[in-house]
């Protein structure tokens, strides 16, 4: 039998050619759990606003692996010792950091599993894959959990300036066509260094860091928290909640085997078994879309209309305000809807609701982005920068929204 060539080269629209570094990483990418990420969009339902945003978590994970390799090359060049085993573990950890995402990325977490984060599910997948790969992921899991003694390893995977953000800002900006998010990840990586086990950015890279933080803020308002995307994601969460509620009352809804399982079982962290993990691994965007196409025709007024809105892209009207929305405003929309369709207040509340969103580009309270000056001094970027706007970017901006059906003539 011919030996299979596992040292593949992939063509990425952002970075050009990405090489797969070794056979173990190739086998991890080939694993069904990882291949599922091809069927999960990186930006959830944002393609209803930005038609190009159809790229997947699979794209993003490979991009992160590529940037992690570049980062480690730069750090080694500057004299930071990183062993071959540590390098492989970092590449595996960043490759698998998003493997626990459910369909449409975040909608699942708020609807059909109870309070389970995608990070926690990622860890369950990694533990299961560790047994499939003869315990060779143990070091990667340690790093992912922040239990490895070298602090900057965890910072490369999850911090205020991590490889994950460097990839998704550039990638999401490319696929949405929103140029404001196009950061210079190459230069940021070239300026990385390590001092006393912490990640720092050399002084020459300060303007690239500023650009990165501004880009992050603009991408949040323009893309991730775009009011239409926000409204659409809320609709999707309500579709799944309604379907779960109907299933609990004995209504039989047409859905794939995996989706039916989650609609008819109460899933929490306490009862999350290997069997549930296996069912979760069969769930992707296609299950949800095909279910919604069926549910357009169900008898239930709420589920049928919510699905129709998403399938036909006839979405709710969304208003963003600087002040909280008054109860009276919400009540007037609710009453109008109840009267028009002769439905209950509980049913109407699926179509009329309020909420708030927060945009914080740089959370210095959580962790600093430290700038290394030529004299060896280390300062937080907001203090080191001559830009006043970085101070502003460290303060959370809260906006309030109300969603309600458009008035049809």
């Amino acid at each position: 039998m011919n030996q299979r060539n596992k040292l593949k080269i992939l063509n990425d629209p952002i970075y050009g050619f990405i090489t797969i570094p070794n056979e173990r990483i190739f086998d991890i990418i080939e694993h069904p759990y990882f291949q599922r990420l091809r069927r999960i969009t990186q930006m959830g339902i944002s393609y209803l606003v930005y038609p190009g945003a159809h790229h997947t978590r699979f794209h993003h994970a490979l991009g992160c692996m590529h940037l992690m390799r570049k980062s480690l090359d730069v750090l080694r060049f500057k004299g930071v010792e990183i062993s071959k085993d540590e390098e492989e573990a970092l590449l595996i950890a960043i490759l698998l950091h998003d493997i626990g995402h459910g369909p449409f990325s975040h909608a699942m977490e708020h609807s059909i599993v109870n309070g389970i984060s995608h990070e926690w599910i990622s860890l369950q997948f990694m533990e299961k894959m560790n047994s499939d790969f003869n315990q060779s992921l143990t070091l990667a899991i340690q790093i992912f959990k922040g239990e490895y003694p070298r602090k900057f390893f965890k910072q490369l995977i999850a911090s205020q300036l991590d490889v994950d953000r460097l990839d998704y800002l550039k990638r999401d900006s490319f696929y949405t066509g929103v140029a404001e998010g196009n950061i210079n990840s190459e230069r940021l990586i070239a300026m990385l260094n390590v001092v006393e086990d912490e990640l720092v950015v050399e002084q020459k890279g300060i303007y690239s860091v500023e650009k990165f933080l501004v880009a992050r803020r603009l991408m949040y308002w323009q893309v991730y928290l775009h009011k239409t995307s926000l409204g659409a994601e809320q609709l999707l969460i309500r579709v799944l909640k309604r379907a779960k509620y109907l299933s609990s009352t004995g209504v039989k809804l047409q859905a794939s085997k995996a989706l039916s399982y989650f609609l008819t079982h109460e899933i929490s962290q306490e009862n999350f078994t290997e069997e549930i993990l296996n069912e979760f691994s069969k769930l992707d965007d296609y299950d949800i879309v095909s279910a919604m196409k069926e549910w357009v025709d169900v008898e239930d007024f709420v589920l049928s209309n919510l699905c129709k809105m998403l399938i036909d892209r006839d979405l709710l009207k969304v208003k963003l305000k600087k002040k909280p929305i008054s109860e009276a405003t919400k009540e007037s929309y609710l009453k109008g809807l109840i009267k028009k369709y002769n439905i209950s207040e509980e049913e109407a509340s699926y179509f009329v609701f309020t909420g708030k969103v927060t945009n914080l580009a740089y959370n210095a309270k959580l962790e600093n982005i430290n700038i290394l000056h030529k004299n060896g001094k280390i300062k937080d970027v907001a203090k080191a920068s001559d830009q006043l706007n970085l101070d502003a970017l460290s303060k959370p901006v809260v906006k309030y929204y109300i969603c309600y059906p458009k008035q049809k003539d």
Side-chain angles (χ1 to χ4, degrees), residues 19 40 103 131 324 330 385 393:
T19 51
I40 293 186
S131 64
K330 185 174 150 188
S385 162
L393 291 180

Side-chain angles (χ1 to χ4, degrees), residues 109 283 332 372:
E109 291 172 47
L283 261 185
S332 70
L372 172 66

Side-chain angles (χ1 to χ4, degrees), residues 221-236:
W221 284 136
Q222 254 178 287
V223 179
Y224 310 127
L225 300 177
H226 186 289
K227 62 177 192 166
T228 310
S229 294
L230 203 72
E233 184 167 51
Q234 288 299 324
L235 276 180
L236 184 58

Side-chain angles (χ1 to χ4, degrees), residues 363-403:
N363 189 350
K365 289 194 182 88
L366 190 70
E367 189 175 30
N368 305 101
I369 296 177
N370 284 323
I371 302 295
L372 172 66
H373 289 268
K374 287 197 174 79
N375 60 8
K377 280 201 174 132
I378 290 173
K379 268 190 189 168
D380 174 59
V381 67
K383 307 261 188 308
S385 162
D386 52 10
Q387 292 277 340
L388 293 169
N389 64 4
L390 282 202
D391 241 7
L393 291 180
S394 312
K395 295 179 177 67
V397 180
V398 181
K399 286 188 184 175
Y400 302 86
Y401 65 84
I402 180 164
C403 300

Side-chain angles (χ1 to χ4, degrees), residues 93-107:
I94 197 70
L95 199 58
L96 301 180
H97 78 284
D98 270 349
I99 200 167
H101 268 292
F104 290 108
S105 293
H106 293 282

Side-chain angles (χ1 to χ4, degrees), residues 19-46:
T19 51
I20 293 175
N22 63 41
E23 295 199 357
R24 181 176 290 134
I25 286 176
F26 176 85
D27 291 336
I28 288 170
I29 290 169
E30 288 281 277
H31 194 285
Y33 288 169
F34 192 80
Q35 288 294 316
R36 179 185 77 100
L37 297 181
R38 289 181 184 273
R39 302 185 299 278
I40 293 186
T41 49
Q42 170 72 12
M43 291 177 62
I45 214 151
S46 294

Side-chain angles (χ1 to χ4, degrees), residues 66 95 151 169 179 266 272 276 294 297 305 312 318 329 392:
H66 174 74
L95 199 58
K151 189 179 174 188
L169 283 173
E266 280 302 318
F272 204 94
I276 293 170
E294 295 294 332
D297 299 318
N305 278 287
D312 298 343
V318 186
T329 305

Side-chain angles (χ1 to χ4, degrees), residues 108-118 120 267-269:
M108 276 288 284
E109 291 172 47
H110 304 291
S111 49
I112 57 178
V113 290
N114 301 328
I116 306 179
S117 71
H118 69 270
W120 188 83
I267 312 289
S268 65
Q269 222 164 285

